[in-house]
Amino acid sequence: MVAITQNMFRAILHIILVVIPLTSFAQDVEQVIKRTTERLKDQPIQIHGQFQMQGTMNQIRGLEQRIDPFSLQIQANTTLDILGVQAPFQFTYCDGKTLYRLPSFLITGISPHYRNFTLHAGDRSMHFSDYTLAGHGFRGIGFEYQKKDGGWFASTFYGRLKRSFSNDMESRQSLEPSFKRMGYGFKTGYQKNGNEIALSLLHVSDRENNAIIVQSPGISPAENVVLDIQIKKQFGPKWKLEGEVARSLLNRDARQLSLESGTWDRAFGLFTPNTSFEKHIAWKAAFNYKIHPRHQLDFYIDHVDPGFRSLGALFFQNDFERIGIRTHHALAKQKILVNTDLGSEKNNLRAFEGNRLQRLRGSLRIQWQVLPQWLWAGNYSNIRQTNKLYAYNNPALPVDSIFLAITNQQAQVQSVFQTSDHQHNLTGLIQYQDLQQIDQEKITDQTSSNRLISFQYGKRLMNDQAMLSINFTWNKNQIDQVSINSWSPGMIWNHRHRAWTYSIAVIPSIFTGKNGTNQIWSSRIQCKYQLSKKQYLQLAYRTINRSGSAPALYPVFSDQTAKILYQFQF
């Protein structure tokens, strides 16, 4: 009975979302025919975009192979215009990394667009709200209808959000096992003159897989429904009110026994709570006041219950409440820009944990155009936000890694100076970050900090056909009790001559720590040849050589990588 109800609801929903836009579309049939006739006479089919193919070759000595000796990537981005119907198309292919047993992937997608209608097919992403579908990629089909001048709008999707992946004990990478995750949802509403009301729904469920359950008994198939409503109201040219409320229904283990529940907990027949059931609320509100074209105040409050989760978001932080005020100012004839954010934050809202954090939070950013050729910028923030961090040439890591982290504090000061003839420039940067790493969608206790000081000088040569850059960077990384300092002087030369463009870079780095001193010598050369106005060929070669006084911990190795890239624009 539940399955029948869900199917009926889904069918009625899609009919409504299609019929409403088609009613407006039918009113403009005459104009559509006229435009189509004009296009039939003049370029009925147009296509533009780019195609590129890249091959990578790698050789390493003194260390286990980090990437395949050869890999291939093909990518195409095109826009097809047929009688005014625009269809952006994306195609990406990459072979699997057998050494790390990474899956090969094929990404294809197309989004035809005509006037107020957009169709998404293949590998696409859409955004309903921060609490429902928040830019999560999916493989399936989607539809959007929205007028530029306002009115009724609607969007819907159905597809696979995550593919099934089992744990591989032979893999060198820690890839999280997962079930196949399917989902559908919609968003509809009305907007006009800054006013808006919108309702959205997201339903996501994991498909059971016995092989994954046997290999990874610690994970379980989940099911999630999120209902969301958004309201925006404009009070004249200066005042604006915004609000959003979402309710999340989650079965952490969809295999458990069902529970008797009310209509709200069953989401009108779309969801069946069981013994692992949780329900949570998230809401936020903002009040904006534009004092002057150069001054604005924003009052806001965000509240997310502990345990609130949306499977339509890649990472979602919960269990917090934030209250604050943001200001935006342009001073001294807009030579000075000041942005502030000051408020309070607390977590452990239901006192489930022993420690409760309640603190002042804020950020300050100042940009000062001292002279037309001299700019200063600085900022400080203790607002927690998610960042992607890259670990380049870290001898403690087996590969060049990318990992998610929560930034607890960060500060930065930067100055850029350029002479009036644009022949010389000087850049200085000082930066500090305090971080906590994220593992399997949870913030861990592993802390790290990063300090960086960098200077760069650049000079144009050979009638502006060449550029010489000399830089120096000091970096200190501390992960728990392990501290590594690095000093990296470097030189980069770029030169353009007719159809040729080439670049040479030499960047030696010295790492020091309690285990001794290590050196990494990194150099690269890149050459690009413009075959024609629409196509070019690029060759690149990079070598990394490391030596040190602690070879047992950080073995001596040399790594050489060559790439060849061809691109054609049409």
Side-chain angles (χ1 to χ4, degrees), residues 261-301:
S261 54
T263 303
W264 278 102
D265 290 346
R266 300 179 68 86
F268 306 100
L270 296 176
F271 183 82
T272 303
N274 63 25
T275 54
S276 67
F277 170 63
E278 297 181 7
K279 56 182 178 179
H280 302 286
I281 298 290
W283 57 271
K284 59 183 177 181
F287 188 66
N288 314 120
Y289 176 50
K290 197 171 185 178
I291 305 172
H292 187 272
R294 295 192 296 271
H295 302 278
Q296 181 173 323
L297 298 177
D298 301 331
F299 303 90
Y300 67 90
I301 178 170

Side-chain angles (χ1 to χ4, degrees), residues 51-55 72-75 564-568:
F51 166 84
Q52 74 174 34
M53 181 169 59
Q54 177 178 284
L72 177 67
Q73 186 179 45
I74 301 173
Q75 185 175 9
I564 180 170
L565 171 67
Y566 169 77
Q567 185 178 100
F568 175 66

Side-chain angles (χ1 to χ4, degrees), residues 41-58:
K41 297 177 181 179
D42 182 21
Q43 294 183 329
I45 300 177
Q46 299 176 2
I47 182 171
H48 60 273
Q50 69 176 31
F51 166 84
Q52 74 174 34
M53 181 169 59
Q54 177 178 284
T56 303
M57 294 164 284
N58 176 263

Side-chain angles (χ1 to χ4, degrees), residues 301-412:
I301 178 170
D302 294 348
H303 175 101
V304 181
D305 279 355
F308 183 97
R309 191 175 179 189
S310 171
L311 298 183
L314 293 174
F315 172 76
F316 195 91
Q317 186 181 354
N318 55 31
D319 190 15
F320 69 84
E321 185 175 271
R322 298 168 181 161
I323 304 175
I325 177 173
R326 300 186 186 98
T327 67
H328 313 274
H329 308 280
L331 309 171
K333 297 181 179 179
Q334 299 191 13
K335 292 182 178 180
I336 300 176
L337 303 179
V338 180
N339 298 320
T340 67
D341 187 344
L342 182 63
S344 64
E345 176 183 29
K346 63 181 179 180
N347 66 357
N348 194 14
L349 301 181
R350 296 179 180 173
F352 288 155
E353 302 175 6
N355 297 324
R356 182 171 188 174
L357 173 67
Q358 188 165 1
R359 62 171 185 148
L360 291 176
R361 64 190 291 272
S363 68
L364 171 64
R365 175 174 175 80
I366 301 176
Q367 181 176 303
W368 180 24
Q369 192 77 46
V370 184
L371 297 170
Q373 65 272 21
W374 192 11
L375 174 69
W376 278 88
N379 67 76
Y380 169 79
S381 174
N382 69 346
I383 297 175
R384 307 182 83 190
Q385 57 185 357
T386 306
N387 284 332
K388 288 182 179 180
L389 301 181
Y390 298 80
Y392 293 116
N393 301 341
N394 187 340
L397 296 176
V399 294
D400 297 335
S401 302
I402 304 174
F403 58 92
L404 285 177
I406 284 286
T407 303
N408 295 319
Q409 290 190 85
Q410 60 180 345
Q412 179 177 295

Side-chain angles (χ1 to χ4, degrees), residues 500-570:
W500 293 90
T501 302
Y502 66 90
S503 173
I504 300 175
V506 179
I507 306 175
S509 299
I510 301 175
F511 295 84
T512 61
K514 65 179 182 180
N515 294 317
T517 302
N518 301 269
Q519 300 86 33
I520 290 182
W521 184 279
S522 176
S523 58
R524 70 175 186 269
I525 182 171
Q526 181 174 293
C527 182
K528 176 181 174 182
Y529 180 69
Q530 198 76 34
L531 299 170
S532 67
K533 291 183 178 180
K534 296 185 177 182
Q535 56 182 334
Y536 70 82
L537 184 67
Q538 180 175 289
L539 302 173
Y541 173 78
R542 185 201 68 175
T543 177
I544 299 177
N545 292 277
R546 201 190 65 77
S547 60
S549 58
L553 292 174
Y554 311 127
V556 175
F557 72 90
S558 64
D559 187 354
Q560 301 178 69
T561 302
K563 294 183 180 181
I564 180 170
L565 171 67
Y566 169 77
Q567 185 178 100
F568 175 66
Q569 297 179 347
F570 50 90

Side-chain angles (χ1 to χ4, degrees), residues 110 214 319 496:
I110 187 169
V214 172
D319 190 15
R496 183 176 70 252

Side-chain angles (χ1 to χ4, degrees), residues 359-506:
R359 62 171 185 148
L360 291 176
R361 64 190 291 272
S363 68
L364 171 64
R365 175 174 175 80
I366 301 176
Q367 181 176 303
W368 180 24
Q369 192 77 46
V370 184
L371 297 170
Q373 65 272 21
W374 192 11
L375 174 69
W376 278 88
N379 67 76
Y380 169 79
S381 174
N382 69 346
I383 297 175
R384 307 182 83 190
Q385 57 185 357
T386 306
N387 284 332
K388 288 182 179 180
L389 301 181
Y390 298 80
Y392 293 116
N393 301 341
N394 187 340
L397 296 176
V399 294
D400 297 335
S401 302
I402 304 174
F403 58 92
L404 285 177
I406 284 286
T407 303
N408 295 319
Q409 290 190 85
Q410 60 180 345
Q412 179 177 295
V413 177
Q414 184 178 20
S415 179
V416 180
F417 177 79
Q418 186 177 56
T419 58
S420 57
D421 59 2
H422 303 288
Q423 296 300 305
H424 306 266
N425 65 76
L426 180 64
T427 303
L429 174 67
I430 301 175
Q431 179 178 281
Y432 170 79
Q433 287 183 317
D434 177 42
L435 310 154
Q436 283 181 266
Q437 292 192 26
I438 297 173
D439 183 29
Q440 296 186 0
E441 300 185 352
K442 295 182 180 179
I443 302 174
T444 68
D445 294 330
Q446 186 175 17
T447 60
S448 62
S449 64
N450 179 68
R451 295 171 176 85
L452 183 144
I453 299 176
S454 176
F455 297 97
Q456 178 174 300
Y457 168 75
K459 178 176 173 55
R460 294 184 180 275
L461 301 166
M462 304 174 66
N463 297 324
D464 292 343
Q465 297 298 306
M467 182 75 178
L468 174 66
S469 299
I470 299 174
N471 56 68
F472 176 81
T473 301
W474 171 78
N475 197 337
K476 181 177 181 180
N477 285 298
Q478 183 159 352
I479 303 176
D480 293 333
Q481 302 301 319
V482 179
S483 178
I484 299 177
N485 292 274
S486 67
W487 289 265
S488 304
M491 182 191 73
I492 302 174
W493 169 265
N494 294 290
H495 183 214
R496 183 176 70 252
H497 179 67
R498 295 180 180 176
W500 293 90
T501 302
Y502 66 90
S503 173
I504 300 175
V506 179

